[in-house]
Amino acid sequence: MPSRPAENTRLRASRRSLLFALLALAGVLAVYAAVWGHELGHAASAYLIGCKADPWRTGVTPFLWGSRGGAIDETCLARRGSRAVAAVALSGIALNLLCVGIAGLASRWARRRWSLVVLLLWGLANAGEGLSYLVLNTIWLRSDMAAGVGALGGRWIFLGAGLLGAAAVAGWLRGPVRTVAGQLASPGAPAGLFRLAFALYAMTVAVVAAVERIAIG
């Protein structure tokens, strides 16, 4: 018969595996939510300017690669002028950063562990998505930043704002990261492991999103 300590060890390992699987699933869903919100920002701003038929229909793809804000009339935007072009180009980033603020604020009120986890992952996914534009896709000028800089100029001002924004977001989400990591910690998975995992998650979202834009052009 297996000893009691061995049974307890297997049970803890099983629980850790389930926890990691649930975190991975929640992380993937958070990325979908962040990308959809980004494209919704484009769609809504284009609709308000009068260059899209509806504010809610987006072009988010099943694997997110090549997602767009839907059927936006680029000729209409060009006629509206450079401010309209910049507004639509930058509205997705603005919505991502707004969601980071909401996630950080809501996490300070949430009490249930999984509510905190979901809010944190959503905030980190939005941070990775939004800041990858302002930093990585300003260095390698692509996609929305190419349109925004082309309309307004100020490439290095945007980069500076992105770097400052990254520092501000790191400070804003530092408390929720520590709280959630502490709640998820166990003898076999210390809080430091979760803090590192959350940082790598946000950076991975940022790099993969930027690479996708560089690859597509």
Side-chain angles (χ1 to χ4, degrees), residues 40-108:
L40 185 65
H42 292 314
S45 60
Y47 171 77
L48 291 173
I49 289 170
C51 297
K52 194 175 186 298
D54 56 68
W56 60 84
R57 202 182 307 274
T58 67
V60 176
T61 64
F63 296 101
L64 302 181
W65 196 265
S67 294
R68 293 291 182 266
I72 297 173
D73 188 339
E74 302 294 341
T75 303
C76 169
L77 274 182
R79 286 200 303 266
R80 293 288 195 276
S82 60
R83 289 185 180 181
V85 173
V88 173
L90 301 176
S91 57
I93 302 167
L95 197 144
N96 285 137
L97 296 180
L98 176 62
C99 289
V100 173
I102 293 171
L105 190 61
S107 68
R108 285 159 170 77

Side-chain angles (χ1 to χ4, degrees), residues 146-180:
V149 169
L152 300 178
R155 178 180 183 178
W156 304 116
I157 294 175
F158 278 117
L159 176 59
L163 293 172
L164 289 174
V169 165
W172 178 242
L173 294 180
R174 182 179 180 184
V177 165
R178 288 183 173 276
T179 299
V180 172

Side-chain angles (χ1 to χ4, degrees), residues 19-34:
L19 173 63
F20 294 149
L22 290 173
L23 284 173
L25 176 60
V28 169
L29 293 176
V31 173
Y32 271 88

Side-chain angles (χ1 to χ4, degrees), residues 20 23-24 27 120-121 124-125 177 180-181 184 189-205:
F20 294 149
L23 284 173
L120 177 61
L121 290 172
L124 290 172
V177 165
V180 172
L184 296 176
L193 174 65
F194 288 102
R195 290 197 298 270
L196 176 61
F198 291 140
L200 291 175
Y201 170 71
M203 288 188 288
T204 299
V205 172

Side-chain angles (χ1 to χ4, degrees), residues 131-146:
L131 292 171
S132 69
Y133 281 94
L134 287 172
V135 179
L136 299 178
N137 289 134
T138 301
I139 297 172
W140 292 277
L141 202 56
R142 290 293 189 276
S143 189
D144 296 345
M145 292 312 304

